[in-house]
Amino acid sequence: MTSRYDDWMRRALEVARTGPPGSASEDVPVGAVVFDPAGRELATGRNTRELDADPTAHAEIVALRAAARRTGSWRLAGHTLVVTLEPCTMCAGALVLARVATLVFGAWEPKTGAVGSLWDVVRDRRLNHRPDVYAGILEDECAALMREFFRTP
């Protein structure tokens, strides 16, 4: 029996594997999906830093921006962010500031991770909001996607 988070992570993996339409982008394949409090998919995001020449265009930021536009509010209380890779400091800070209720991520990111690897932004007691965190969901599949992308020919 699969869990809801497994199913949601499969959706995030699908987003990660599907580049923006018509692009030959070299963006790292990270996928993010925001689900509303009822469990409905609200928004998706994929890394588009190279495509958009935007250092802030991480999958999580793209998905959070789309969710905020769709709801008409920057406050995403009750929402869940599912992402294939452990968020960096920018993305961890953004999801805290957006009041995301739950973070679900797949692979750990030992070089830049800010949800336990290098830092733990989302659990910092000095901040006004701390989401629930579920780490390592479909970790092997998420890590394999990263290994495949960074494999040198």
Side-chain angles (χ1 to χ4, degrees), residues 8 17 22 27 49 77 82 84 88-89 98 112 128 137 140-141 153:
W8 288 359
R17 289 183 180 112
D27 283 297
R49 292 183 308 167
V82 179
T84 57
C88 70
T89 52
T112 62
N128 64 338
I137 305 299
D140 292 341
E141 293 93 323

Side-chain angles (χ1 to χ4, degrees), residues 8-9 11-18 28-34 43-47 58-60 63 81-86 104-106 142 145-146:
W8 288 359
M9 187 60 71
R11 175 65 179 127
L13 281 162
E14 180 182 317
V15 170
R17 289 183 180 112
T18 307
V28 177
V30 176
V33 184
V34 176
T44 65
R46 186 186 193 280
N47 277 357
H58 289 200
E60 301 95 323
L81 173 64
V82 179
V83 62
T84 57
L85 189 65
E86 178 184 5
V104 177
F105 74 88
C142 293
L145 186 61
M146 293 294 100

